[in-house]
Each structure stands twice: as C-alpha cells, then as structure tokens.
Amino acid sequence: MKRFITLFGVLSLLFSLQFVGGGFEAFAAGTEAGDTFIDHASKGLETFWNFTGFANAHYTNFIMIAVGLFFIFLAIKYDYEPLLLVPIGTGVILGNIPFLTGYQIGLYEDGSVLNYLYFGVKQGVYPPLIFLGIGAMTDFSSLISNPKLMILGAAAQVGIFATFLGASAMGFTPQEAGAIGIIGGADGPTAIFLSSKLAPTLMGAIAIAAYSYMALVPVIQPPIMRLIIPKRERLIKMKPPRAVSKTEKIMFPIIGLLLTTFISPSALPLLGMLFFGNLLKESGVTERLADTARNAMINIVTILLGITVGASTQADYFLTTDSLKIFGLGAVSFMVATAGGLIFARLMNLFLKGDNKINPLIGAAGVSAVPDSARVVQHEGLKNDPNNHLLMHAMAPNVSGVIGSAVAAGILLSFLM
Amino acid sequence: MNLLIVDSMTWTITVLGWFIVFVALVFLIGVFLTVPKILTWGTRRALRKKNRMAKKEVVIDDELVITGETNAAIAMALHLYFNEQHDEESNVITIKEVKKRYSPWSSKVYSFNNVNFPR
C-alpha cells in the first residue's frame, strides 16, 4: 500500500509540476502584456462565472425547474404515472439548467448529445416503438369477445375534433389546431407523433399537456362519470365476456392492420407497429421478440422519450401564452372525450336489451389512456357495487380508443399535411 | 371564442374526421362479429368431415364454444394435478449419515499442555 501511495504520489507531483510550469509561462506572458497575476486570475474567474448557470439564469428557468420538481413529487408521492413523470420531470429540470449558448449543450443546439437523443422525438421515431411495446403487452381478447364496445373508442374521439375546432377558433393555424386536438385522445405517443409532423414548435407543450392529463385520469374522470351516469345505471352488471380462440387472437392484428391502415395510411407507423407487436405476442412462436418489445425496448424508449420531451420545455420556448392556451384546451378536450364516451354508452343502452346492456361507466375508458382509464372505471364500479368488476369490460373501449386515436391522428395528418 | 368564425374547411375536417373514425371502427366491429361465425362454420364442417356427429344432428353454437368458466375449471384441474404430482414420493426413507468436517476448535489435543517430563 505504501509503495502504491508513493508511486502515485510521485506521478501526480510530476504532473502538477508540469501545470505549474505552464502557469508560470502564462504568468510571464501576462506580465509581458502588462497584466498582473491578479488580473489574470480575476479574468479567469470571470470567464468561469459567465459559464455557470447562475450567471445565465432567468427567473423563468426557476419556474420550469419548480414544474419539473412538482412532476417528480406527484410521481413519487401520489404514484401518478411515475414511469412517465419521473423521466419527464427530470427532463424538465435538465432542459432548464441555464447555460451559455453556442457550446453544443442545449437540446435545441445542433450537435449536442441531447439534440441527438431528441432526434427520435423530432422525427417521430420513438412513438411507433412505444406502440410496438404496447401491442406486445395488450390483450385484445375483451375487445374481440364483444366487438360492439369498440364503438365507445370511436365516440370518445369527439374530444380530438372538438378541441381542433376550439383551437381553430382561438386563432391557431389548422396544423397547430390539429396537433393540439390530439391531446383529447389521451395518448402521449400519438400526440408526440402528430405534433412532430404538424406543429414541431408546440410539441413540448402538447406532449407535457397530454402526459399530465394522462397522469391525472384518476382525478379528472370520476367527477364527470358521477355527473353523467345516474346511480342505477352505474350498478348494471355485464355478462362475462366469452372465451376467445387462439385463431381469433392471431387474426385480430392481421385484419386490424389491413383494415385500419387502408382507411388511414398516414397512421401506418403507429398502427403498423401496434398490430405487429400484438402479432408477436399472439402468434406464440416469437415469444423472445414479444418479450423484448414489451419489456426492454419499451423501457429504453420510455426513458429516452420522457427525458427528451421534458428537456424540450426550455423556458424560452415553453413559457408562452400559447402553452397556457394549450393546457386549457387540453383539459377541456380530455373532459369532452370522457363525456363523449359516457353519453354514447348511455345511448347504446337504449338499443340493447336484457343482459346485453352495458354499464355506461365503461364509456369513460374510450379515451386511450391505457390502462389507467380502465382502472378508474373498475374503481368507480366497485365504489357503487363491491361485486361489480368492470375492468375486463372497460379494457375493450380502452384499447379501441388507442386504435381510434391513431386513426384520428392519421386522418388529421392526411387533411392537414 | 366564436365557433362561427371558424372557416368551412375546419368544420369539414371536424365532422368528416370524426365520421371516418366511426366508420373505421364500425367496419372493424362488422368484421369481428363475422369472424367467429366463420370459425364456427369451419369447425362444424370439420366435425362433419370426421364423422364425429350424425349428418342430421343439429349443433348448437354454444356446444362449440368453451366458456370462460369451463376454461377456468380445466385450468384449475391441471394446476392441481401438476402441483400434486410433487407429493407422489418413492416412500423410501433414507437416513443420511451426517458427516462432520474436522474442526480443531475443541480438540483435546490442543487443550493439554504437552510438557516433556525429564527422563
């Protein structure tokens, strides 16, 4: 040990001597130019100070850092979508550390590491990969066993189009309005995908709004459910879904892929990956690929997506009146989508007889926040009747909401690109 | 916010967009209501070919579908069967000889003073 310390001690001394020599040289050069050693030191310190975050800070940076910390707090304390809010919250902090521009540090500076990672968001690479993972982990059997519940997924997309209308009325361009409207789909990856194509400048605000409202599903949806669905209808018990054969499960992604992408080819990256992931799962012969898609890959992409979307909220880009408007429109959009699903479910009951009647609460799961809104429906169902389990039934409109919002995104793309 | 100030194109996209989403999903519903019927028809035909049933016998659809409860019962039975397999033992009781490794910690040899007496 003694030898080790001696050896490395001598080596470090030799290295430091080299610097001291350099320092003397610099000092000599300085004195030649008429500067004193103290002048040099103060200049060096001044340069260092100019590089620090303190010198470049603006009060807006601190506001955004507080927002990031709040996201992390929500995720840890209340368990609101922690897998999303922790990376996004950290990203918000990362993106708002003040720095001297021009040194390839920030997300928006070409050549910076964050800029390279942001490429996946900017070019819409990450959302389809997330959809691949979602497809590989989703069981569509509840939907296949009772396909008529799919219509609730379409009904809830009213939020997207109502917000599109509202955003246009508020003065946004049609492209921006389309990108804002997709928040009503309650689908983060779709929102990022569409906004990266239609309104890249608003993407940070749209993504943050979409993910925030997804995290707030347990807060936003229950009051609307209680408002729209009367108590006696909340007690309706649905008959258990029939068992679905393996052939049907394999046919679903293939038929779904062909039909939906032929109708809306612009949504091909999203729907293609979603159904491909599901085929990997259901085929039963590609378990290794399905396992990677639903675990390792989706986790990696979620980390990259969360951190870069968070970092894209640099105060100077994010803290604008447009962002406030987007947050307001997003909230309305989410409420309209939930209400749309619920009202349509009640409407469907007028045409259904006997034990085919559905519990209208599952209409709220038509928004595609998988599986949070289905979980909220289950929770509300149990509150009214502890023996009424609605989770499996709610998963049907929930996954059809994913398909519906991706189709809607494709339609908006084809109209507005 | 006056929605009337929105141009006709926006209204068109709104109405038509939502309508297309509906049509796409209604189309999927139609397909997935038909698929089980086709599969049942296929199963019936296969059964007929194998002569497992009389030609005039009527097959009720429910007979071709295994319900969730039946599946659960089969799964439970299999689970119990495979779990209880563990209990079928050979019934041969073997007493293993306990082997102790040598340890000098309490050895008598070390607890005596090995004093050499003068001869």
Side-chain angles (χ1 to χ4, degrees), chain A residues 19 34 62 65 69 88 90 95-96 109 122 144 153 166 174-175 186 198 210-211 217 227 239 267 330 337 395 405 414:
Chain A
F19 289 122
F62 294 107
I65 288 171
L69 289 172
I88 290 178
T90 316
N96 284 285
E109 288 186 305
K122 214 163 50 179
I144 303 167
Q175 285 75 17
L198 292 180
Y211 278 115
V217 162
L227 190 74
K239 66 175 181 184
M395 276 310 287
S405 59
S414 53

Side-chain angles (χ1 to χ4, degrees), chain A residues 38-52:
Chain A
I38 294 166
D39 286 338
H40 251 277
S42 64
K43 266 184 191 171
L45 279 174
E46 196 186 326
T47 315
F48 170 72
W49 172 253
N50 288 336
F51 267 96
T52 62

Side-chain angles (χ1 to χ4, degrees), chain A residues 106-194:
Chain A
L107 184 100
Y108 294 108
E109 288 186 305
D110 283 340
S112 74
V113 176
L114 281 174
N115 187 263
Y116 278 111
L117 296 178
Y118 190 56
F119 176 84
V121 177
K122 214 163 50 179
Q123 297 300 322
V125 178
Y126 296 148
L129 293 177
I130 295 263
F131 262 58
L132 179 69
I134 293 172
M137 67 170 75
T138 306
D139 184 2
F140 284 98
S141 50
S142 57
L143 186 68
I144 303 167
S145 70
N146 198 356
K148 66 174 180 288
L149 296 181
M150 215 183 273
I151 203 94
L152 295 173
Q157 305 314 319
V158 67
I160 294 178
F161 295 100
T163 316
F164 170 67
L165 206 61
S168 299
M170 282 174 86
F172 285 99
T173 64
Q175 285 75 17
E176 287 171 346
I180 295 166
I182 206 72
I183 301 172
D187 195 341
T190 310
I192 291 169
F193 180 76
L194 192 68

Side-chain angles (χ1 to χ4, degrees), chain A residues 144 242-252, chain B residues 35-36 39:
Chain A
I144 303 167
R242 72 174 171 86
V244 176
S245 69
K246 197 185 171 197
T247 320
E248 281 177 275
K249 282 186 182 180
I250 294 172
M251 284 172 79
F252 179 79
Chain B
V35 166
L39 289 176

Side-chain angles (χ1 to χ4, degrees), chain A residues 147 150-151 154-155 157-158 161 164-166 168-170 242-243 247-248 252 255-256 259 263 344 408 411 415-416, chain B residues 1-3 5-6 10-11 13-14 16-18 20-22 24-29 31-33 35-36 39 66 71:
Chain A
M150 215 183 273
I151 203 94
Q157 305 314 319
V158 67
F161 295 100
F164 170 67
L165 206 61
S168 299
M170 282 174 86
R242 72 174 171 86
T247 320
E248 281 177 275
F252 179 79
I255 296 173
L259 282 182
I263 292 171
F344 205 85
I411 292 163
F415 273 117
L416 300 169
Chain B
M1 188 171 68
N2 182 8
L3 291 179
I5 61 165
V6 174
T10 308
W11 276 105
I13 295 171
T14 305
L16 208 59
W18 196 29
I20 297 172
V21 174
F22 253 99
L25 291 180
V26 167
F27 201 38
L28 265 181
I29 293 170
V31 171
F32 285 101
L33 285 174
V35 166
L39 289 176
I66 303 171
N71 270 335

